[in-house]
Amino acid sequence: MIRVVTLDPIDDKQLAKFNRTLYTAFGVGSEHSGSAEIPAGMSEPLDAEKLVDAVKGIRAYTDDKVLLLTTRKLKDRELPSGTAPTVGFARQGKDRAVLSIHPHKDLESAYKGLARHALHQLGHLWELHHCLDPRCSMYPPWTPSFSQGEPIFCTFCREKSEQKIRLAKS
């Protein structure tokens, strides 16, 4: 089950559409599981790595994946190759990821790109790595064309995610 937890108010109809896209991509249930508070002391831009660990009070089962959704800006990350803008973050193989809608006014205004980023972050939770196919959502998100692509997986990444999901259920 994919549990989408909002950290800021987001339109219910837009969330329902977003969850249908996640369901279609992964073939597992996806639902808005309520909202949570940004921990005290965290200021904008939010540190995505700290945020993933610090948000409390989320009800989830062992095999569930949690996607935190915020309208606030995430802090650019320092990487060995330089500073990278951060739209989302996930710890490979763990259970939580975060995605920011910022700078868009709502989920609908940049739907395709945000849905693609969500698939990318959730793919990392199911231990998928970056893909060489530019049509795939696991293609590196820092590339200029990433946000214009469809929120889909290539055949290889789709099969690999389905395999990981089946193993999680057994």
Side-chain angles (χ1 to χ4, degrees):
M1 171 70 77
I2 299 169
R3 300 192 181 278
V4 177
V5 176
T6 53
L7 302 177
D8 303 294
I10 297 175
D11 182 75
D12 288 338
K13 288 182 182 175
Q14 292 176 11
L15 277 172
K17 179 181 176 184
F18 187 69
N19 279 312
R20 284 191 302 274
T21 300
L22 298 179
Y23 171 77
T24 301
F26 290 102
V28 297
S30 179
E31 67 179 21
H32 179 223
S33 295
S35 59
E37 297 288 323
I38 302 256
M42 289 193 107
S43 59
E44 203 170 331
L46 301 171
D47 185 320
E49 292 184 55
K50 290 180 182 174
L51 183 64
V52 164
D53 295 330
V55 173
K56 302 293 182 214
I58 298 172
R59 299 179 112 190
Y61 296 100
T62 305
D63 292 336
D64 289 350
K65 302 301 181 192
V66 175
L67 178 64
L68 304 171
L69 197 55
T70 183
T71 59
R72 301 173 203 207
K73 181 174 175 33
L74 298 177
K75 181 177 160 186
D76 293 348
R77 291 189 342 182
E78 292 297 326
L79 302 173
S81 57
T83 303
T86 303
V87 174
F89 172 77
R91 279 204 173 67
Q92 187 81 5
K94 300 296 182 186
D95 63 345
R96 285 188 181 190
V98 63
L99 179 69
S100 173
I101 295 170
H102 182 81
H104 309 287
K105 65 180 175 115
D106 59 19
L107 193 54
E108 189 65 31
S109 61
Y111 186 79
K112 192 165 64 169
L114 291 169
R116 188 165 163 98
H117 273 286
L119 265 62
H120 186 90
Q121 299 309 326
L122 288 164
H124 282 315
L125 296 182
W126 270 298
E127 298 180 16
L128 297 181
H129 296 281
H130 289 159
C131 180
L132 298 175
D133 185 343
R135 297 168 297 177
C136 181
S137 291
M138 291 311 296
Y139 194 67
W142 55 82
T143 57
S145 63
F146 181 84
S147 292
Q148 281 75 50
E150 295 296 322
I152 58 170
F153 288 122
C154 66
T155 304
F156 177 81
C157 290
R158 172 80 183 193
E159 288 173 1
K160 187 159 173 107
S161 71
E162 288 172 352
Q163 179 184 33
K164 293 288 184 177
I165 291 167
R166 278 193 305 274
L167 288 172
K169 290 179 181 178
S170 59

